[in-house]
């Protein structure tokens, strides 16, 4: 008597097909670009609760995003940031864009 079922090769091909569709969906959805992406410059107001020592005056705001502002997602650095090898301590806590 022979077993009734799908061959293992069909199951493997179906699983690989689903994986390819998920990766394509992530690429076109813009989600995969977040991995390994360097911090981009904040086009609006950069809020940071505790600015790093030695930061120039005026590159950080002391108030978080307000009601008529949109908070951008992802890592961003302030405009006119000094050149540095490690931008991590300089990243904005919130990058606020005026929307209203």
């Amino acid at each position: 008597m022979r077993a009734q079922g799908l061959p293992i090769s069909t199951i493997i091909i179906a699983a690989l097909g689903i994986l390819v569709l998920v990766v394509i969906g992530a690429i076109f959805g813009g989600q995969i670009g977040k991995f390994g992406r360097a911090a981009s410059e904040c086009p609006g107001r950069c809020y940071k609760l505790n600015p790093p020592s030695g930061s120039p005056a005026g590159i950080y705001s002391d108030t978080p995003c307000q009601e008529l502002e949109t908070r951008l997602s992802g890592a961003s650095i302030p405009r006119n940031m000094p050149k540095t090898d490690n931008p991590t301590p300089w990243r904005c806590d919130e990058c606020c864009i005026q929307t209203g």
Side-chain angles (χ1 to χ4, degrees), residues 6-90:
L6 292 174
I8 190 72
S9 61
T10 304
I11 295 171
I12 292 172
I13 290 172
L16 288 174
I18 291 172
L19 180 66
V20 167
L21 288 175
V22 168
V23 169
I24 289 173
I27 289 171
F28 286 113
Q31 300 301 312
I32 207 159
K34 291 183 180 179
F35 302 109
R37 185 178 66 182
S40 59
E41 191 174 85
C42 176
R45 185 172 60 81
C46 181
Y47 163 71
K48 187 155 185 78
L49 180 61
N50 297 313
S53 61
S55 60
I59 67 169
Y60 293 109
S61 170
D62 57 355
T63 55
C65 295
Q66 302 297 312
E67 184 178 332
L68 297 177
E69 294 177 316
T70 300
R71 180 177 182 235
L72 293 183
S73 63
S76 56
I77 55 174
R79 288 179 288 187
N80 304 323
M81 185 186 93
K83 297 289 181 199
T84 179
D85 291 333
N86 182 14
T88 303
W90 295 85

